[in-house]
Amino acid sequence: MRRFSSDLRRSGKTIAFVPTMGFLHQGHLSLMEKGKSLAARLVVSIFVNPTQFGPNEDLAAYPKDEARDLDMTQKAGVDAVFIPDVQQIYPSGCQTVVLLKFLPGHLCGLSRPGHFNGVATVVTKLLGIVRPHTALFGEKDFQQLAVIRQMVKDLEIGIDIVAAPIVREADGLAMSSRNMYLTSDQRKSATSLYRALTASRQMVKNGETSAEVIIRSAAARISAVPETIIDYIAICDPQTLEDVAVVSGPVLMAMAIMVGKPRLIDNMMLTP
Ligand code: AMP
């Protein structure tokens, strides 16, 4: 991977990079398409990063289909797919981690302690190996995007971070590798996230300014469908991710909901 990248750089070619955990879907493909338009060459990585999973999370069960992923990346015109193993990324004796002070203290960081430090560490390593000019991330993982932007700035990594909008199923469910775990009943319940977000967006358009009122209404909508357990629903500042009480400008509404076993996340900007 290093040789591939330095040969490209030496010949003056730009590199776009899309890091993934595999089990690819249209959300990943939208990042690849955008990446291709931004650089001469496109690299995709597939690595299920153990340091971003908590002890009771789904690391062992994370879906995997390398042959299908390679077929999809080939059809998408990807120039190289980097599939390291855990030992290559975390050789014994490695001791450096990347910790952020404030952004992980909100939203998913509260129920997934250590998750974003695992993300920041692996992305730093992948950027150091692939050495892209541009890296692309989905707004589906809004907090992850914020963490990576901050980290790239703080550590002077000197690459462009490009965001891409959430790709959804026809009924609004945000695409995710984890959706494959949903039973057909849970799949129906899972649409409640998008319905709650769009209803909240409408409340704000209609003049509602109380975050508490909007969150309560979204929670009622989600709790009304079977097999949902709310981890959090928040309305926050899209830069700092700090809670906002009164909606007076564009805010981020974000949520994590267990639907059966899978924990689904989604978000949307609400603009008065
Ligand atoms: P993952 O494989 O889930 O780690 O995701 C790899 C990249 O794809 C991340 O930047 C995600 O934010 C992005 N991504 C995942 N799902 C979607 C989606 N439905 N729409 C847009 N981007 C997505």
Side-chain angles (χ1 to χ4, degrees), residues 19-21 25 27-28 31 137-138 140-141 144 165-167 175:
T20 80
M21 299 206 299
H25 51 67
H28 298 114
L31 294 175
F137 296 87
K140 155 101 189 321
D141 301 271
Q144 168 173 281
I166 301 176
V167 177
M175 290 194 185

Side-chain angles (χ1 to χ4, degrees), residues 2 5 12 23 41 107-108 117 129 133 148 175 186 199-200 208 210 226 230 235 250 256:
R2 280 187 192 285
S5 174
F23 211 74
R41 294 290 182 270
L107 309 179
C108 289
N117 296 327
I129 296 166
H133 298 82
I148 287 161
M175 290 194 185
Q186 290 166 355
S200 303
E208 180 58 65
S210 163
I230 296 169
I235 291 181

Side-chain angles (χ1 to χ4, degrees), residues 54-120:
N56 299 315
E57 294 181 359
D58 57 349
L59 172 63
Y62 198 82
K64 199 178 167 112
D65 190 341
E66 200 172 293
R68 181 172 154 276
D69 287 349
L70 289 175
D71 188 49
M72 286 172 77
T73 51
Q74 188 169 28
K75 288 189 177 124
V78 174
D79 296 287
V81 185
F82 178 48
I83 313 182
D85 61 36
V86 174
Q87 272 306 310
Q88 287 171 310
I89 298 297
Y90 299 105
S92 62
C94 105
Q95 52 179 304
T96 306
V97 294
V98 179
L99 305 184
L100 285 91
K101 283 187 188 166
F102 305 120
L103 284 172
H106 306 282
L107 309 179
C108 289
L110 297 175
S111 40
R112 304 188 73 189
H115 169 72
F116 288 108
N117 296 327
V119 168

Side-chain angles (χ1 to χ4, degrees), residues 154-166:
D154 290 349
L155 298 180
E156 311 287 356
I157 293 178
I159 67 167
D160 291 330
I161 299 300
V162 173
I166 301 176

Side-chain angles (χ1 to χ4, degrees), residues 18-31 45 47 52 62 136-142 144-145 148 162 164-169 173-179 265:
V18 176
T20 80
M21 299 206 299
F23 211 74
L24 303 176
H25 51 67
Q26 287 298 324
H28 298 114
L29 291 180
S30 76
L31 294 175
S45 65
F47 181 63
Q52 71 190 66
Y62 198 82
L136 297 100
F137 296 87
E139 285 172 354
K140 155 101 189 321
D141 301 271
F142 196 96
Q144 168 173 281
L145 177 63
I148 287 161
V162 173
I166 301 176
V167 177
R168 299 179 179 281
E169 304 284 357
L173 176 65
M175 290 194 185
S176 164
S177 309
R178 289 186 168 101
N179 291 349
I265 58 171

